[in-house]
Amino acid sequence: MRLVMKFGGTSLGAGSEIRCAASTVRNYSQQRNKIVVVVSAMSGVTDKLIEAAAEATLRNRDSTRLFLKNLEERHAQASRDAIISSEILDQTLASLNEQIAELENVLIGIGYLGELTSRSKDYAISFGEKLSTIVIAGALKDLGLRAEYFLGGQCGIVTDNCFGEAKPLMNITKQQVKEKLAPIFEAGVIAVVTGFTGTTQEGQTTTLGRDGSDYTATILGAALQVDEVWIWKDIDGLMTADPKVEPSAKTIPLLSFPEAMEMAYFGAKAIQAKALELAWESGIPIRVKNTFNLDGSGTLIVEKPQVRSERVVKAVTMINNVALITVSGGGMVGVPGIAAKVFSVIGEKNINVLMISQGSSEANISFIIPRSGLENAVNALELSLLGKGFVKEVTPETKVCIVTVVGAGMKGTPGVAARVFKAIANQGVNIRMIAQGSSELSISFVVEDSDGIKAVRALHEEFRFNC
Ligand code: ASP
Ligand code: MG
């Protein structure tokens, strides 16, 4: 098979895990698969880089030095644990040192300027992947594989210049990846590519949004027209619920792209939504597998919805850290443009809206946003809506969460909503807000924070996921 394999940060926590990832690649390549490897930063590194880049503006050299020392030590230790040949280890440590020295210059430069632009931030945070990929490439060579290191840009990923959330320019990217990567891939050499990063047409480094290594994997998969993209994680696949909330949660063997997208939006952050969308458009199946349980079959995500699956509901998810805002007033009834005004105010503040509902009385609109944006949103709404005769009140509530059931089989199957709400009512849980998109792929509702776990468990039981 022709495969792109992406290894996530949680599968690369330490040297022993990197060695394990490298031997997995070796096993599959010995079975005559052609493989491109895409690598995330080691777990937690991107968050630390974001902090360090922000702190660098303060010109606190000691804290920058300490950060770099820890970063170097973590990768050096991982290399010593993952690589046996002293020659390959020396080369790996030398490459790591070069990158650390460059990162030091970048952070010092940010200090001199005293500001962190989105462009320099992207450059700084791209080092997480640069470092981890060096270690993996070394570990693969150590196992006797022919492996070659590439930055996202070097293998042809060209993006727009929307730093922090860059989008690939797919036409040029496809052409460039075919030129730069395909010959190596076809020759059976393993290209080891830094995930998360690309380059603008002018050659500046960009990043593809958080969890963007998934996106790198599907971009390369689409360009090389591979058979499947495999996302390696530290869990067995996409689950019927978060196992921390419902210990009897099970792996879902087969999902459609629309279902997986719905789960990505609703808190089961297993795969980046943009990555899923591209694989879906390109008709390339995605398999989610566990580096720590090679025998598990994982989750396969394919194009056709499994409507005929005996399960109408496939998963139940929960999103915490959200807040509910209700905009109300008798003067809103029958007046066109109020909803447009409300959401443009929120949009201008760059706040994401997760869920919306308005009753036919039109006297109020409720919606859910991330809790971190609440104060900002309420101030902006009050400023632009109150005292104009339409809106009387803007009411915020913080202690809420969203619970969602997902499944393509709900479409056109009567009675699913009744089962959902009966199961919740039986727990004595009060529902604050409900929304179902016309795609009928999911039903979402809002409950008090303290009722969230109870609601997830009741639905897991109702739809017999644990059997
Ligand atoms: N390292 C990046 C992040 O943490 C990209 C990734 O892990 O996919 O968001
Ligand atoms: Mg990650």
Side-chain angles (χ1 to χ4, degrees):
M1 279 215 281
R2 297 155 60 82
L3 298 170
V4 172
M5 288 189 173
K6 178 250 163 177
F7 290 89
T10 45
S11 298
L12 309 171
S16 55
E17 294 167 6
I18 291 180
R19 181 134 188 113
C20 175
S23 29
T24 304
V25 173
R26 181 181 59 180
N27 292 347
Y28 283 100
S29 92
Q30 280 170 345
Q31 293 161 25
R32 288 212 237 123
N33 296 297
K34 287 184 173 157
I35 302 170
V36 171
V37 173
V38 173
V39 190
S40 282
M42 288 178 79
S43 53
V45 168
T46 307
D47 289 334
K48 293 225 169 72
L49 279 164
I50 293 173
E51 265 172 45
E55 259 187 51
T57 56
L58 307 174
R59 284 181 86 169
N60 181 344
R61 287 278 171 87
D62 288 342
S63 89
T64 299
R65 249 181 239 123
L66 181 66
F67 164 73
L68 289 166
K69 189 169 161 277
N70 290 338
L71 190 68
E72 182 182 5
E73 190 39 44
R74 180 161 177 206
H75 288 84
Q77 186 57 46
S79 307
R80 288 192 285 270
D81 294 341
I83 300 168
I84 294 164
S85 146
S86 56
E87 194 188 332
I88 298 173
L89 178 61
D90 287 347
Q91 284 164 4
T92 305
L93 294 176
S95 306
L96 288 174
N97 275 336
E98 259 172 47
Q99 294 298 333
I100 294 281
E102 189 173 337
L103 176 58
E104 181 168 17
N105 287 337
V106 174
L107 295 177
I108 290 173
I110 292 171
Y112 275 122
L113 294 173
E115 68 163 350
L116 182 63
T117 61
S118 50
R119 184 172 145 185
S120 44
K121 181 175 171 189
D122 265 14
Y123 190 55
I125 66 177
S126 72
F127 280 83
E129 273 69 13
K130 285 182 184 156
L131 296 168
S132 60
T133 308
I134 290 174
V135 186
I136 288 238
L140 287 167
K141 285 185 191 149
D142 194 55
L143 290 174
L145 293 168
R146 286 189 299 156
E148 215 170 297
Y149 176 100
F150 286 92
L151 298 173
Q154 281 172 340
C155 71
I157 299 180
V158 181
T159 71
D160 60 15
N161 57 6
C162 185
F163 294 96
E165 280 295 336
K167 291 214 178 53
L169 306 173
M170 273 319 277
N171 286 340
I172 320 178
T173 296
K174 278 186 183 164
Q175 190 196 332
Q176 296 238 12
V177 170
K178 273 187 202 128
E179 259 170 45
K180 297 180 174 170
L181 208 58
I184 291 163
F185 180 61
E186 302 304 344
V189 176
I190 296 174
V192 197
V193 181
T194 58
F196 186 46
T197 63
T199 167
T200 63
Q201 281 173 291
E202 292 76 37
Q204 291 145 357
T205 301
T206 49
T207 64
L208 307 169
R210 291 310 304 267
D211 300 322
S213 304
D214 291 351
Y215 206 9
T216 307
T218 59
I219 292 168
L220 296 180
L224 295 168
Q225 280 299 304
V226 295
D227 297 306
E228 288 181 7
V229 169
W230 288 13
I231 309 266
W232 290 95
K233 296 185 141 297
D234 62 343
I235 47 166
D236 277 343
L238 298 187
M239 313 277 288
T240 52
D242 181 344
K244 284 186 221 113
V245 173
E246 173 53 66
S248 70
K250 295 240 164 23
T251 307
I252 309 168
L254 192 62
L255 273 175
S256 67
F257 276 111
E259 287 170 326
M261 289 286 282
E262 210 73 6
M263 287 177 65
Y265 292 140
F266 287 108
K269 281 209 169 139
I271 303 176
Q272 199 209 36
K274 288 184 284 187
L276 271 171
E277 195 167 61
L278 179 60
W280 184 4
E281 273 166 23
S282 316
I284 298 174
I286 294 186
R287 207 179 274 277
V288 184
K289 283 176 74 76
N290 188 346
T291 27
F292 305 112
N293 176 18
L294 296 178
D295 297 334
S297 58
T299 298
L300 179 65
I301 305 168
V302 293
E303 198 168 341
K304 285 268 169 297
Q306 295 295 304
V307 185
R308 268 178 282 114
S309 153
E310 74 280 17
R311 293 203 185 279
V312 280
V313 170
K314 297 234 176 101
V316 42
T317 67
M318 174 164 68
I319 309 185
N320 301 100
N321 292 322
V322 293
L324 171 66
I325 297 181
T326 305
V327 175
S328 54
M332 290 162 60
V333 180
V335 182
I338 299 278
K341 182 74 194 158
V342 168
F343 293 113
S344 60
V345 169
I346 298 295
E348 274 155 25
K349 291 282 163 202
N350 232 334
I351 294 169
N352 188 26
V353 176
L354 288 98
M355 210 174 139
I356 302 173
S357 118
Q358 183 189 354
S360 60
S361 80
E362 297 177 44
N364 56 57
I365 301 172
S366 300
F367 54 95
I368 297 279
I369 59 168
R371 207 170 285 169
S372 56
L374 184 67
E375 204 184 318
N376 212 348
V378 171
N379 288 343
L381 288 168
E382 286 182 344
L383 216 63
S384 44
L385 298 175
L386 295 187
K388 308 224 158 87
F390 304 113
V391 173
K392 197 158 158 261
E393 237 177 328
V394 177
T395 322
E397 258 175 85
T398 46
K399 292 189 179 132
V400 293
C401 65
I402 307 177
V403 176
T404 302
V405 292
V406 179
M410 289 196 278
K411 194 174 172 81
T413 309
V416 181
R419 279 177 72 187
V420 168
F421 297 124
K422 188 154 178 272
I424 299 305
N426 286 344
Q427 297 296 316
V429 169
N430 183 33
I431 295 178
R432 308 294 314 278
M433 176 178 165
I434 301 172
Q436 181 188 17
S438 58
S439 68
E440 292 183 49
L441 283 167
S442 65
I443 300 172
S444 296
F445 57 91
V446 174
V447 296
E448 293 267 323
D449 240 353
S450 53
D451 286 333
I453 293 180
K454 221 196 276 180
V456 169
R457 289 193 176 153
L459 291 168
H460 207 262
E461 173 77 33
E462 169 65 28
F463 291 100
R464 302 176 61 79
F465 291 141
N466 32 6
C467 307

